[in-house]
Coordinates of all heavy atoms in Angstrom, one line a residue:
T1 N 5.9 -16.1 2.3 CA 6.4 -14.7 2.6 C 6.1 -13.8 1.5 O 6.8 -13.8 0.4 CB 7.9 -14.8 2.9 OG1 8.6 -15.6 1.9 CG2 8.2 -15.4 4.3
F2 N 5.1 -13.0 1.6 CA 4.6 -12.2 0.5 C 5.2 -10.8 0.5 O 5.1 -10.1 1.6 CB 3.1 -12.1 0.5 CG 2.6 -13.5 0.1 CD1 2.1 -14.3 1.1 CD2 2.5 -13.9 -1.2 CE1 1.5 -15.6 0.8 CE2 2.0 -15.2 -1.5 CZ 1.5 -16.0 -0.5
W3 N 5.7 -10.3 -0.6 CA 6.3 -8.9 -0.7 C 5.2 -8.0 -1.1 O 5.2 -7.4 -2.2 CB 7.5 -9.0 -1.6 CG 8.6 -9.8 -1.0 CD1 8.7 -10.3 0.3 CD2 9.8 -10.3 -1.7 NE1 9.9 -11.0 0.5 CE2 10.5 -11.0 -0.7 CE3 10.3 -10.2 -3.0 CZ2 11.7 -11.6 -1.1 CZ3 11.5 -10.8 -3.3 CH2 12.2 -11.5 -2.3
T4 N 4.3 -7.8 -0.2 CA 3.1 -7.0 -0.3 C 2.7 -6.6 1.1 O 2.8 -7.3 2.0 CB 1.9 -7.9 -0.9 OG1 2.3 -8.4 -2.2 CG2 0.7 -7.1 -1.1
P5 N 2.1 -5.3 1.3 CA 1.7 -4.4 0.3 C 2.7 -3.3 -0.1 O 3.6 -3.1 0.7 CB 0.4 -3.8 0.9 CG 0.8 -3.7 2.4 CD 1.6 -5.0 2.6
N6 N 2.4 -2.6 -1.2 CA 3.2 -1.5 -1.6 C 2.5 -0.2 -1.0 O 1.4 0.2 -1.4 CB 3.2 -1.3 -3.1 CG 4.1 -0.2 -3.7 OD1 4.4 0.7 -2.9 ND2 4.4 -0.3 -4.9
V7 N 3.2 0.4 0.0 CA 2.6 1.5 0.7 C 3.4 2.8 0.4 O 3.4 3.8 1.1 CB 2.5 1.3 2.2 CG1 1.4 0.3 2.5 CG2 3.8 0.9 2.8
N8 N 4.1 2.8 -0.8 CA 4.7 4.1 -1.2 C 3.6 5.0 -1.6 O 2.4 4.6 -1.9 CB 5.5 3.8 -2.5 CG 6.8 3.0 -2.1 OD1 7.1 2.1 -2.8 ND2 7.5 3.5 -1.1
I9 N 3.9 6.3 -1.5 CA 2.9 7.4 -1.8 C 2.9 7.7 -3.3 O 4.0 7.9 -3.9 CB 3.2 8.6 -1.0 CG1 3.0 8.3 0.5 CG2 2.2 9.8 -1.4 CD1 1.6 7.8 1.0
F10 N 1.7 7.6 -3.9 CA 1.6 7.9 -5.3 C 1.7 9.4 -5.5 O 0.7 10.1 -5.9 CB 0.2 7.3 -5.8 CG 0.1 7.1 -7.3 CD1 -1.1 6.5 -7.8 CD2 1.1 7.5 -8.2 CE1 -1.3 6.3 -9.1 CE2 0.9 7.2 -9.5 CZ -0.3 6.6 -10.0
R11 N 2.8 10.0 -5.3 CA 3.1 11.4 -5.2 C 2.9 12.0 -6.6 O 2.6 13.3 -6.7 CB 4.4 11.7 -4.6 CG 5.5 11.3 -5.6 CD 7.0 11.6 -5.2 NE 7.8 11.0 -6.2 CZ 8.3 11.7 -7.2 NH1 8.0 13.0 -7.4 NH2 9.0 11.1 -8.2
D12 N 3.2 11.3 -7.7 CA 3.2 11.8 -9.0 C 2.5 10.9 -9.9 O 2.9 9.7 -10.0 CB 4.6 12.1 -9.5 CG 4.6 12.9 -10.8 OD1 4.1 12.4 -11.8 OD2 5.2 14.0 -10.8
P13 N 1.4 11.3 -10.6 CA 0.6 10.4 -11.4 C 1.3 9.8 -12.6 O 0.7 8.8 -13.2 CB -0.7 11.2 -11.8 CG -0.2 12.6 -11.7 CD 0.8 12.7 -10.6
R14 N 2.5 10.2 -12.9 CA 3.2 9.6 -14.0 C 3.9 8.3 -13.7 O 4.3 7.6 -14.6 CB 4.2 10.6 -14.5 CG 3.6 11.8 -15.2 CD 4.6 13.0 -15.4 NE 4.9 13.7 -14.2 CZ 5.3 14.9 -14.2 NH1 5.6 15.6 -15.3 NH2 5.6 15.5 -13.0
W15 N 3.9 7.9 -12.4 CA 4.7 6.8 -12.0 C 3.9 5.5 -12.4 O 2.7 5.3 -12.0 CB 4.8 6.8 -10.5 CG 5.7 5.6 -10.0 CD1 6.7 5.0 -10.6 CD2 5.6 5.0 -8.7 NE1 7.3 4.1 -9.8 CE2 6.6 4.0 -8.6 CE3 4.7 5.1 -7.6 CZ2 6.7 3.2 -7.5 CZ3 4.9 4.3 -6.5 CH2 5.9 3.4 -6.5
G16 N 4.5 4.7 -13.2 CA 3.8 3.5 -13.7 C 3.4 2.5 -12.6 O 2.4 1.7 -12.9
R17 N 4.1 2.5 -11.5 CA 3.8 1.5 -10.5 C 2.8 2.1 -9.4 O 2.5 1.4 -8.4 CB 5.0 1.1 -9.7 CG 6.0 0.3 -10.6 CD 7.2 -0.3 -9.8 NE 6.7 -1.5 -9.0 CZ 7.5 -2.2 -8.2 NH1 8.8 -1.9 -8.1 NH2 7.0 -3.2 -7.6
G18 N 2.3 3.3 -9.7 CA 1.3 3.9 -8.8 C 0.1 3.0 -8.6 O -0.6 3.0 -7.6
Q19 N -0.2 2.2 -9.6 CA -1.4 1.3 -9.6 C -1.2 0.3 -8.5 O -2.3 -0.2 -8.0 CB -1.5 0.5 -10.9 CG -0.3 -0.4 -11.2 CD -0.5 -1.2 -12.5 OE1 -1.3 -2.1 -12.5 NE2 0.2 -0.8 -13.6
E20 N 0.0 0.0 -8.0 CA 0.2 -0.9 -6.9 C 0.0 -0.3 -5.5 O -0.1 -1.1 -4.5 CB 1.6 -1.4 -6.9 CG 2.1 -2.1 -8.2 CD 3.6 -2.4 -8.2 OE1 4.1 -2.6 -7.1 OE2 4.2 -2.4 -9.3
T21 N -0.2 1.0 -5.5 CA -0.3 1.7 -4.2 C -1.8 1.9 -3.8 O -2.7 1.7 -4.6 CB 0.4 3.0 -4.2 OG1 -0.3 4.0 -5.0 CG2 1.8 2.8 -4.9
Y22 N -2.0 2.5 -2.6 CA -3.3 2.9 -2.2 C -3.5 4.4 -2.4 O -4.3 5.0 -1.7 CB -3.5 2.6 -0.7 CG -3.4 1.0 -0.5 CD1 -2.5 0.6 0.5 CD2 -4.1 0.1 -1.2 CE1 -2.4 -0.8 0.7 CE2 -4.0 -1.2 -1.0 CZ -3.2 -1.7 -0.1 OH -3.0 -3.1 0.1
G23 N -2.7 5.0 -3.3 CA -3.0 6.4 -3.7 C -2.0 7.4 -3.1 O -1.0 7.1 -2.6
E24 N -2.5 8.7 -3.1 CA -1.6 9.8 -2.8 C -1.6 10.3 -1.4 O -0.8 11.1 -1.0 CB -1.9 11.0 -3.7 CG -3.3 11.7 -3.4 CD -3.6 12.8 -4.3 OE1 -3.2 12.8 -5.5 OE2 -4.3 13.8 -3.9
D25 N -2.5 9.8 -0.6 CA -2.7 10.3 0.8 C -2.1 9.3 1.8 O -2.4 8.2 1.8 CB -4.1 10.5 1.1 CG -4.4 11.1 2.4 OD1 -4.1 12.3 2.6 OD2 -4.7 10.3 3.4
P26 N -1.3 9.9 2.7 CA -0.6 9.0 3.7 C -1.6 8.4 4.7 O -1.4 7.3 5.2 CB 0.4 9.9 4.4 CG 0.0 11.3 4.0 CD -0.7 11.2 2.8
F27 N -2.7 9.1 5.0 CA -3.6 8.5 6.0 C -4.4 7.4 5.3 O -4.6 6.3 5.9 CB -4.6 9.6 6.5 CG -5.6 9.1 7.5 CD1 -5.2 9.0 8.8 CD2 -6.9 8.8 7.1 CE1 -6.2 8.6 9.8 CE2 -7.8 8.4 8.0 CZ -7.4 8.2 9.4
L28 N -5.0 7.6 4.2 CA -5.7 6.6 3.5 C -4.8 5.3 3.2 O -5.2 4.2 3.5 CB -6.2 7.1 2.1 CG -6.9 6.0 1.3 CD1 -8.2 5.5 1.9 CD2 -7.3 6.6 -0.1
T29 N -3.6 5.6 2.8 CA -2.6 4.5 2.6 C -2.4 3.7 3.9 O -2.3 2.5 3.9 CB -1.3 5.1 2.0 OG1 -1.5 5.7 0.8 CG2 -0.3 4.0 1.8
S30 N -2.2 4.4 5.0 CA -2.0 3.8 6.3 C -3.2 2.9 6.7 O -3.0 1.7 7.0 CB -1.8 4.8 7.4 OG -0.7 5.6 7.1
R31 N -4.4 3.4 6.6 CA -5.5 2.7 7.0 C -5.8 1.4 6.1 O -6.1 0.3 6.6 CB -6.8 3.5 7.0 CG -6.8 4.8 7.9 CD -6.0 4.7 9.1 NE -6.3 3.5 9.9 CZ -5.5 2.9 10.8 NH1 -4.3 3.4 11.0 NH2 -5.8 1.9 11.5
M32 N -5.7 1.6 4.8 CA -5.9 0.4 3.9 C -4.7 -0.6 4.1 O -4.9 -1.8 4.1 CB -5.9 0.9 2.5 CG -7.1 1.8 2.2 SD -8.7 1.2 2.6 CE -9.1 0.3 1.1
G33 N -3.5 -0.1 4.2 CA -2.3 -1.0 4.4 C -2.4 -1.8 5.7 O -2.1 -3.0 5.7
V34 N -2.8 -1.1 6.8 CA -2.8 -1.8 8.1 C -3.8 -2.9 8.0 O -3.6 -4.0 8.5 CB -3.2 -0.8 9.2 CG1 -3.8 -1.5 10.5 CG2 -2.0 0.1 9.6
N35 N -5.0 -2.7 7.4 CA -6.0 -3.7 7.4 C -5.6 -4.8 6.4 O -6.0 -6.0 6.7 CB -7.3 -3.1 7.0 CG -8.0 -2.4 8.2 OD1 -8.6 -3.0 9.0 ND2 -7.8 -1.1 8.3
F36 N -4.9 -4.5 5.4 CA -4.5 -5.6 4.5 C -3.5 -6.5 5.2 O -3.6 -7.7 5.1 CB -3.8 -4.9 3.2 CG -3.5 -6.0 2.2 CD1 -4.3 -6.2 1.1 CD2 -2.3 -6.8 2.2 CE1 -4.1 -7.1 0.1 CE2 -2.0 -7.7 1.3 CZ -2.9 -7.9 0.2
V37 N -2.5 -5.9 5.9 CA -1.5 -6.7 6.6 C -2.2 -7.6 7.7 O -1.9 -8.8 7.8 CB -0.5 -5.8 7.3 CG1 0.4 -6.6 8.2 CG2 0.4 -5.2 6.2
K38 N -3.1 -7.0 8.4 CA -3.8 -7.7 9.5 C -4.6 -8.9 8.9 O -4.5 -10.0 9.5 CB -4.7 -6.8 10.3 CG -4.0 -5.9 11.3 CD -5.0 -5.1 12.1 CE -4.3 -4.2 13.1 NZ -5.3 -3.4 13.9
G39 N -5.3 -8.7 7.9 CA -6.0 -9.8 7.3 C -5.1 -10.9 6.7 O -5.4 -12.1 6.8
L40 N -4.1 -10.5 6.0 CA -3.1 -11.5 5.4 C -2.4 -12.3 6.5 O -2.3 -13.5 6.3 CB -2.1 -10.7 4.5 CG -1.2 -11.6 3.7 CD1 -1.9 -12.4 2.7 CD2 -0.1 -10.8 3.1
Q41 N -2.0 -11.7 7.5 CA -1.2 -12.4 8.5 C -2.0 -13.2 9.5 O -1.5 -14.1 10.1 CB -0.3 -11.4 9.3 CG 0.8 -10.7 8.4 CD 1.9 -10.0 9.1 OE1 2.9 -9.7 8.6 NE2 1.6 -9.6 10.4
G42 N -3.3 -12.8 9.6 CA -4.2 -13.6 10.4 C -4.1 -13.2 11.8 O -3.3 -12.4 12.3
D43 N -5.0 -13.8 12.6 CA -5.2 -13.5 14.0 C -4.8 -14.6 15.0 O -5.2 -14.6 16.2 CB -6.5 -12.9 14.3 CG -7.7 -13.9 14.0 OD1 -7.3 -15.0 13.6 OD2 -8.8 -13.5 14.1
D44 N -4.2 -15.7 14.5 CA -3.8 -16.7 15.4 C -2.8 -16.2 16.3 O -1.8 -15.5 15.9 CB -3.2 -17.9 14.6 CG -3.0 -19.1 15.4 OD1 -3.9 -19.9 15.6 OD2 -1.8 -19.3 16.0

């Protein structure tokens, strides 16, 4: 049970945990996050 991915929005570049995210844009974050989850959880 993995506590990943971090799909918070990197709204301010001063945030130290922004490195864990997919950046500042909600659309890009959504597309990368959706594909990460699908790959991790598998298609069985």
